[in-house]
């Protein structure tokens, strides 16, 4: 018997990684608080709830940073920061798929499907639960319930993996087994078949 009936996994910070050195370099070169501004809940929450688009989010960042040519250029570079798939995580999730469904559960924007396509992940997971599509964000309990329903698994039979502890705790509150992801070893330890 498998230890879980489904694996629910975050995208950013787990399967997809961003080049934080490039982000820091952009901030330093322009002397602007790009990261703090971009991830200000007032700006990012409407985008991950699907109320605004990624493009509108980028425009809002530029406006918050002064809406001049320098701010717009910094934001344009920020929007092009390289990202890639953590191949070790992909391999672990592919191994899990030999036993159970894998569902990506992400606080994402309207462009998540395009990004998955760029990463070669369009058909990787058994399902995708994007906050922008379902209108709720982690750690709201409803997003975990939607993911478990899509996986066809009871919450207490789901493994949930995320790099943000508050999201892991949200899943645990429904009875899911939660893994706070810091390295692929955290996931490997949980996926013992």
């Amino acid at each position: 018997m498998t230890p879980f009936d489904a694996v629910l996994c975050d995208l950013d910070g787990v399967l997809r990684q961003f080049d934080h050195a490039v982000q820091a370099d952009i901030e330093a070169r322009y002397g602007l608080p790009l990261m703090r501004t971009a991830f200000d809940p007032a700006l990012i929450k409407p985008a991950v709830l699907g109320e605004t688009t990624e493009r509108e989010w980028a425009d809002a960042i530029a406006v918050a940073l002064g809406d001049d040519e320098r701010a717009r250029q910094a934001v344009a570079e920020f929007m092009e920061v390289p990202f890639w798939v953590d191949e070790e995580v992909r391999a672990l999730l592919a191994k899990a798929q030999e036993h159970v469904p894998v569902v990506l559960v992400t606080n994402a924007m309207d462009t998540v499907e395009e990004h998955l396509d760029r990463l070669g992940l369009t058909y990787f997971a058994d399902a995708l639960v994007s906050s922008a599509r379902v209108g709720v964000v982690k750690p709201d309990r409803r997003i975990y319930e939607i993911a478990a329903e899509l996986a066809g698994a009871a919450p207490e039979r789901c493994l949930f993996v995320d790099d943000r502890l508050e999201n892991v705790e949200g899943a645990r509150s429904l009875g899911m087994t939660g893994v706070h992801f810091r390295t692929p070893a955290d996931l490997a330890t949980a996926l013992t078949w």
Side-chain angles (χ1 to χ4, degrees):
M1 180 169 176
T2 60
F4 309 106
D5 293 336
V7 174
L8 314 179
C9 185
D10 180 34
L11 177 61
D12 293 331
V14 180
L15 183 58
R16 173 169 66 169
Q17 300 297 327
F18 286 86
D19 194 325
H20 298 297
V22 171
Q23 291 171 330
D25 176 65
I26 296 167
E27 277 198 332
R29 280 189 291 109
Y30 287 94
L32 294 170
L34 258 171
M35 297 298 289
R36 186 178 73 233
T37 305
F39 295 102
D40 178 333
L43 295 186
I44 197 162
K45 195 163 185 186
V48 296
L49 280 171
E51 297 167 358
T52 61
T53 65
E54 182 182 85
R55 181 72 254 153
E56 291 167 327
W57 173 63
D59 290 342
I61 298 167
V63 168
L65 292 171
D67 203 23
D68 57 13
E69 185 57 36
R70 191 167 121 261
R72 284 190 293 279
Q73 185 59 42
V75 171
E77 288 185 34
F78 172 73
M79 297 303 289
E80 295 302 320
V81 167
F83 55 82
W84 63 88
V85 173
D86 183 315
E87 293 298 339
E88 192 173 351
V89 172
R90 183 203 305 243
L92 288 165
L93 293 174
K95 180 74 172 162
Q97 278 182 304
E98 295 173 9
H99 306 277
V100 298
V102 170
V103 177
L104 296 179
V105 186
T106 180
N107 286 351
M109 298 182 197
D110 63 316
T111 52
V112 68
E113 292 88 354
E114 174 191 322
H115 289 196
L116 289 173
D117 188 53
R118 285 171 54 191
L119 290 166
L121 294 175
T122 299
Y123 301 105
F124 175 72
D126 295 285
L128 168 68
V129 178
S130 165
S131 61
R133 303 292 181 223
V134 299
V136 288
V137 297
K138 295 177 290 185
D140 186 299
R141 70 180 288 123
R142 185 64 191 131
I143 199 165
Y144 306 107
E145 292 168 344
I146 292 167
E149 290 165 14
L150 280 173
E156 62 273 10
R157 294 286 300 155
C158 292
L159 174 70
F160 178 79
V161 183
D162 201 295
D163 63 318
R164 297 180 63 92
L165 185 56
E166 63 268 28
N167 294 339
V168 173
E169 290 170 348
R172 286 177 179 156
S173 74
L174 271 78
M176 294 181 179
T177 299
V179 172
H180 182 206
F181 181 92
R182 291 166 302 271
T183 71
D186 298 318
L187 179 58
T189 300
L191 294 176
T192 54
W193 303 106

